[in-house]
Amino acid sequence: MMVDKELSDFKTMVAGVLADQWGTATSAESGDLGKLWQVAAQQGWYELASSNAVGAVVAAMQELGAVACPLPLFDGFVAVRLLTGNDEVIADIERGALRVLVTHQEEVSAPEASYLEGAAHASHVLAITSDPARAVLRPITSVEPMPGLAQPPWSNAQLGEPVLSVAVDQSHLNEAMSLMRLGLAARAMAAARRAQEMAVEHAKVRHQFGRPIGSFGAVQQRIASCHIDLGAGDHLLAEAWRGCEAGAEDAGLSVAIFTEHACSAAPRVQFGAHHTLAATGYFEEHEAPWLFRRVHADIVRLALYPSTQGDVADQLVELNVSLPAFATTAVGDEFRGVVREFLAANPSHMGQLILADDHELTAKVAERGWLGFAWPLEHGGREATIAEQVILNEEATYHGAGLVKALSSVTLLGNSILWHGSPEQKHKFLPLVRQGKMRFCLGYSEPEAGSDLASMKTSAVRDGGHWVINGQKLWTTGGDTADWVWLAVRTDPNAQPRHAGITIFLVPMDTPGITVQQHRALSGEISCSVFYDDVRIPDSARVGEVNGGWAVITDALAGERITMGGIAAALHRQLDDLLDLVRTDVAGTVGRRGSARRKRLATVAVAIQATRALVVAAIGATGDGNGGGRLEAPMAGVLGGETAEEFGEAALDILGPRGALADTGHFEYALRLSVMYVVGGGTNDVQRGIIARLVGLPR
């Protein structure tokens, strides 16, 4: 195994060797794979199995994918693992004297093997059979090309008599199939990533209709969607190979999740890149056609290595397991245990997903000092880590604890008051937040300013030591019960840029001139239109500098990186609840292996795990203190919202009519609520635009 620096150095070395010995993806038709195999053996790439360096082999496969090279590196890795104890054979594999390909066959005595990559340069095939479970090493006697999609073409090989046959136990059989699938999927995703990188660069410089095509909304949306697929894939892949290296019990499920993601994401990204490159990337002097072949060839070859444990849905349903947990810090693991123990001893009675607070539970949480526990000691906190903040939100959401408002008051108001509030405001409001008694609503959106907050028109005009506010706010959730409104208004109508003239006020909702009009949302939740007619407030209600409200808003919205962990946790809980129902009647819900409903279940399970992976990445980047997480956060938000909608529909499809009944669970409610995850806090279309700009596309 390698540490991060060693892994990075190894990946750089592999890239350098490939640049010298192979070239770019355009070499797929003419590259000397035999010579590269020899150099790879000399460089020690085939010795990685002896040190269990799964991550290093994955890193090499990614570099191979980027240049559309089919070097069968994982074949050698798996062969060495299966032939443990046969030292002479292993030594020959490691030094390149025995060039082995791994395939799966139904019968031990099968005289040939098909769809092989690199067979013209190989010497042997290691055929794995499941019944009986054996690994049989046989020489290649002749090779016949199989022209088609793959380039270089696959081959059909005639095999000689076995030279070695070993029994394989079930765990090693499972591992071998998982590793072969992992390598192919990793290479396919890397090829798609290279195509995406070229598409992004093309979109920056290619002009149509007098402007870069990267400024067109459709192109930005497509590139952002592809970037989400790739980002989620990166983190799912890392979890998979780390689990394999550690020998984790759920490593097989992690690999299945990543490969399932790659099966849909890699071709989708590759097609997206071609659509952006257009005719430029359609001709073979460009790398894209060769990457296209590599992506689809690797994905279709996954079928040659069937998972002995079944696909994602099979494992979740039949093994009675949940989605694998993500690694965290020792402090985080310890705190998660404490929170779970507390919630088990103090169950909430508010019901799953209900967006209301359990006042008794809130008081107990406040007594433990968990509200605002990341704050400095002088303000009642204990400087808790961001991991602990995320864990509290996740566990509260997963267990249906009625702490939604109390926790959001910390992240959306308390932190901003701590950073921008006056001493008097800190003295008055921070204790309320710590006690879970800060009943508030957000006054952001307006009739002409939803996601585009810089366009807000509600005004505040200074009148001596006071301000006079006029305007209207929409979609003010909780406006009917709140004591305070966190209100963004325009104090300089001529400011440039537009967001420069905004100021934040914390206003009592019973102030004369405020009128509240209630609306019931699709979820059943009450949201409000709030009208401000000559509302007069003192300057002491202002939070932060005059015309400095954008910084306050930005800091408040940064808290969403903590609360979005709750969205992922809500999806995780919904999946676990669905699995509980499915397991009581497998035949009547998802049916046998290979059914369309099992496929639907697997798809949403993978999307939920991908969302969780992006959340973990966003939080980890934020916790580094270097302004990280700017890209992962909106990616997690987009994927989480769309996964919520997809899951809601899938649950009803799997359960049938009873899934639409309130007493079956919370599935129909979750479906109704899911729309808000997409449109609330900035629509996914807007978030994709942000992602596009973060990867370098022009406005």
Side-chain angles (χ1 to χ4, degrees):
M1 291 182 285
M2 298 183 181
V3 299
D4 290 347
K5 179 63 166 61
E6 292 174 326
L7 196 60
S8 177
D9 290 345
F10 176 75
K11 192 171 185 178
T12 301
M13 182 270 288
V14 171
V17 170
L18 292 175
D20 290 339
Q21 301 296 328
W22 182 264
T24 68
T26 58
S27 301
E29 189 176 32
S30 59
D32 191 341
L33 189 63
K35 183 180 179 182
L36 176 62
W37 201 325
Q38 179 182 356
V39 173
Q42 293 170 350
Q43 294 288 331
W45 299 3
Y46 282 91
E47 299 174 13
L48 294 169
S50 299
S51 57
N52 192 36
V54 182
V57 186
V58 166
M61 291 295 281
Q62 289 178 302
E63 294 302 318
L64 290 166
V67 295
C69 178
L71 181 69
L73 189 56
F74 248 112
D75 296 62
F77 187 95
V78 169
V80 169
R81 298 278 277 248
L82 288 175
L83 299 176
T84 299
N86 296 277
D87 295 343
E88 290 186 12
V89 173
I90 289 175
D92 284 345
I93 293 173
E94 291 179 341
R95 64 188 178 88
L98 194 158
R99 298 183 178 185
V100 64
L101 303 177
V102 173
T103 190
H104 179 267
Q105 293 184 324
E106 295 296 326
E107 299 179 6
V108 173
S109 59
E112 61 183 18
S114 299
Y115 310 111
L116 299 177
E117 291 223 81
H121 307 281
S123 62
H124 290 74
V125 165
L126 184 67
I128 306 172
T129 59
S130 300
D131 186 19
R134 300 196 67 81
V136 182
L137 186 66
R138 304 174 69 178
I140 296 174
T141 59
S142 65
V143 173
E144 181 181 356
M146 304 174 72
L149 178 67
Q151 195 63 253
W154 297 330
S155 299
N156 183 75
Q158 297 298 315
L159 306 178
E161 292 300 315
V163 296
L164 181 64
S165 179
V166 300
V168 178
D169 63 33
Q170 190 62 46
S171 64
H172 285 94
L173 179 64
N174 294 344
E175 179 190 69
M177 293 296 99
S178 285
L179 288 174
M180 291 303 296
R181 292 172 65 82
L182 179 67
L184 288 171
R187 192 165 63 189
M189 287 294 289
R193 173 176 289 280
R194 172 60 183 153
Q196 164 81 347
E197 291 170 351
M198 291 188 293
V200 170
E201 292 308 309
H202 179 74
K204 294 177 184 177
V205 299
R206 174 65 168 168
H207 282 66
Q208 291 282 281
F209 307 104
R211 51 193 280 214
I213 63 170
S215 65
F216 297 161
V219 174
Q220 292 191 348
Q221 295 287 304
R222 180 168 60 243
I223 284 179
S225 293
C226 292
H227 216 76
I228 293 170
D229 277 334
L230 290 168
D234 285 345
H235 299 297
L236 292 175
L237 174 58
E239 288 298 314
W241 70 254
R242 285 173 182 146
C244 290
E245 278 195 348
E249 186 177 351
D250 55 11
L253 179 55
S254 292
V255 171
I257 288 171
F258 168 66
T259 54
E260 180 81 18
H261 174 79
C263 280
S264 58
R268 189 164 54 231
V269 172
Q270 185 68 40
F271 274 117
H274 274 278
H275 298 165
T276 299
L277 290 165
T280 299
Y282 194 62
F283 295 90
E284 290 188 346
E285 60 266 25
H286 198 280
E287 294 178 50
W290 307 102
L291 294 166
F292 184 96
R293 290 172 177 268
R294 175 52 39 206
V295 166
H296 289 86
D298 280 345
I299 291 300
V300 75
R301 286 189 80 242
L302 287 169
L304 301 179
Y305 306 97
S307 172
T308 52
Q309 294 176 293
D311 69 12
V312 174
D314 299 332
Q315 294 186 50
L316 290 172
V317 172
E318 298 169 11
L319 301 181
N320 198 30
V321 296
S322 184
L323 295 174
F326 289 92
T328 184
T329 63
V331 171
D333 287 339
E334 180 181 0
F335 182 64
R336 190 180 296 277
V338 172
V339 174
R340 287 179 176 175
E341 183 178 350
F342 169 79
L343 293 175
N346 298 278
S348 175
H349 303 289
M350 300 304 295
Q352 287 294 331
L353 297 180
I354 302 300
L355 302 181
D357 278 9
D358 182 326
H359 299 300
E360 181 179 347
L361 180 63
T362 299
K364 291 180 179 179
V365 170
E367 288 174 8
R368 296 184 74 98
W370 287 348
L371 299 179
F373 66 157
W375 297 347
L377 297 175
E378 62 267 29
H379 293 293
R382 63 168 178 80
E383 299 178 342
T385 65
I386 192 166
E388 291 172 287
Q389 299 171 63
V390 173
I391 286 167
L392 180 59
N393 277 270
E394 286 179 343
E395 294 298 325
T397 303
Y398 182 86
H399 290 90
L403 299 170
V404 176
K405 297 293 185 182
L407 291 174
S408 62
S409 72
V410 175
T411 55
L412 299 180
L413 261 69
N415 292 345
S416 288
I417 293 172
L418 182 67
W419 297 325
H420 300 282
S422 66
E424 294 76 17
Q425 288 168 340
K426 294 176 185 177
H427 178 75
K428 180 175 182 176
F429 294 113
L430 294 184
L432 291 177
V433 173
R434 289 201 312 272
Q435 296 163 21
K437 297 179 179 179
M438 185 68 185
R439 299 199 305 173
F440 74 98
C441 58
L442 296 178
Y444 285 162
S445 296
E446 298 182 4
E448 301 299 327
S451 299
D452 182 15
L453 292 181
S455 295
M456 68 178 62
K457 297 179 180 178
T458 297
S459 66
V461 178
R462 187 186 286 274
D463 183 13
H466 287 73
W467 296 83
V468 179
I469 300 173
N470 283 281
Q472 177 187 357
K473 295 291 182 178
L474 293 180
W475 308 311
T476 305
T477 302
D480 56 323
T481 59
D483 296 325
W484 301 87
V485 56
W486 182 261
L487 185 63
V489 297
R490 181 161 296 284
T491 46
D492 184 350
N494 301 313
Q496 291 295 327
R498 294 176 303 160
H499 64 258
I502 294 172
T503 304
I504 297 294
F505 293 90
L506 192 50
V507 181
M509 284 295 289
D510 59 0
T511 304
I514 296 179
T515 304
V516 177
Q517 183 181 86
Q518 297 185 23
H519 311 280
R520 185 176 296 277
L522 175 61
S523 64
E525 190 176 25
I526 298 298
S527 193
C528 303
S529 294
V530 183
F531 301 90
Y532 299 85
D533 298 304
D534 292 331
V535 176
R536 189 177 182 85
I537 56 172
D539 186 58
S540 59
R542 174 171 48 82
V543 180
E545 300 296 326
V546 175
N547 298 326
W550 195 252
V552 182
I553 292 173
T554 301
D555 285 340
L557 292 178
E560 291 185 359
R561 296 185 189 172
I562 297 171
T563 59
M564 72 182 175
I567 296 174
L571 291 170
H572 188 193
R573 179 54 186 263
Q574 291 172 46
L575 175 64
D576 283 351
D577 287 348
L578 178 60
L579 288 171
D580 286 342
L581 282 175
V582 165
R583 291 176 188 132
T584 64
D585 182 16
V586 174
T589 52
V590 294
R592 298 178 180 179
R593 287 192 174 192
S595 70
R597 288 186 178 181
R598 286 205 184 206
K599 178 65 176 177
R600 190 84 188 271
L601 178 61
T603 298
V604 294
V606 169
I608 291 170
Q609 189 72 342
T611 302
R612 297 176 72 211
L614 287 173
V615 168
V616 169
I619 299 308
T622 303
D624 291 341
N626 298 318
R630 294 175 63 236
L631 186 56
E632 290 90 348
M635 290 198 302
V638 170
L639 185 58
E642 293 177 358
T643 299
E645 292 183 342
E646 184 179 5
F647 178 87
E649 291 187 313
L652 267 62
D653 179 41
I654 290 169
L655 296 175
R658 68 177 176 136
L661 300 178
D663 60 2
T664 299
H666 51 265
F667 303 109
E668 63 85 21
Y669 172 72
L671 176 62
R672 289 186 282 118
L673 181 64
S674 64
V675 177
M676 183 49 60
Y677 289 149
V678 173
V679 304
T683 68
N684 278 9
D685 294 333
V686 171
Q687 295 301 313
R688 281 194 176 91
I690 292 172
I691 294 167
R693 290 192 290 277
L694 287 172
V695 301
L697 295 188
R699 289 182 178 273

